[in-house]
Amino acid sequence: MRDNTPKSTRTQGGDPIADYIRADTRLPAYLPYPRFLLKMEISQTAKLLYSLLLDRSTLSQKNKWLDDEGRIYIIYPIAEIAEILDKGSTTIKGALNELDTAGLLERERGGFSAPNRLYVKVPPVPQVQF
């Protein structure tokens, strides 16, 4: 029997890339994408970067990376972010500036030869009244 799956939806080995989600389907690893980002007037790169930083923050929570005030911080080199997002370091720096300006990120210099700390912020969740 011939497989009629289009070539563009196959892996190099010929297997289909995607299948339908079923009740027992295991989902691949994914990034959280907060709905509030959909309405923000920042670049798509900044939105994707925020999702990546938010995901990385969960790792810091698990590892208890807290500052003196109990705030979670992350350390994420720009070169590593650029490689993951397939962007240049200048683009990543611009997106970090956008997030900083939008109030979604705070950066703290680490000092001589120490890495910078990134504090990911979340907007307050509006109270729903019944």
Side-chain angles (χ1 to χ4, degrees):
M1 178 177 239
R2 186 163 195 254
D3 184 7
N4 292 328
T5 307
K7 288 182 181 180
S8 64
T9 60
R10 296 182 191 198
T11 63
Q12 287 182 340
D15 297 326
I17 289 176
D19 198 2
Y20 295 99
I21 295 177
R22 302 187 187 281
D24 61 344
T25 301
R26 290 186 52 146
L27 295 176
Y30 59 91
L31 294 174
Y33 192 91
R35 291 181 185 266
F36 73 84
L37 289 176
L38 296 171
K39 301 290 184 188
M40 291 197 72
E41 294 191 18
I42 56 177
S43 70
Q44 293 299 322
T45 300
K47 291 176 182 182
L48 185 58
L49 175 57
Y50 182 81
S51 293
L52 183 66
L53 297 176
L54 189 61
D55 182 61
R56 186 66 166 249
S57 294
T58 61
L59 182 61
S60 290
Q61 279 180 317
K62 289 176 188 173
N63 292 325
K64 298 186 177 16
W65 283 20
L66 304 169
D67 68 5
D68 298 350
E69 298 176 41
R71 301 176 302 177
I72 296 291
Y73 66 89
I74 60 177
I75 294 173
Y76 215 164
I78 289 175
E80 192 176 328
I81 295 169
E83 185 177 326
I84 288 170
L85 296 183
D86 197 27
K87 303 284 184 187
S89 60
T90 303
T91 302
I92 298 303
K93 288 176 187 176
L96 287 168
N97 287 335
E98 281 186 77
L99 293 175
D100 201 353
T101 300
L104 295 175
L105 180 71
E106 185 178 317
R107 294 178 279 184
E108 185 178 281
R109 291 223 176 265
F112 181 72
S113 76
N116 292 343
R117 288 182 175 184
L118 302 175
Y119 293 90
V120 179
K121 296 180 173 182
V122 291
V125 178
Q127 296 292 323
V128 178
Q129 295 189 4
F130 296 98

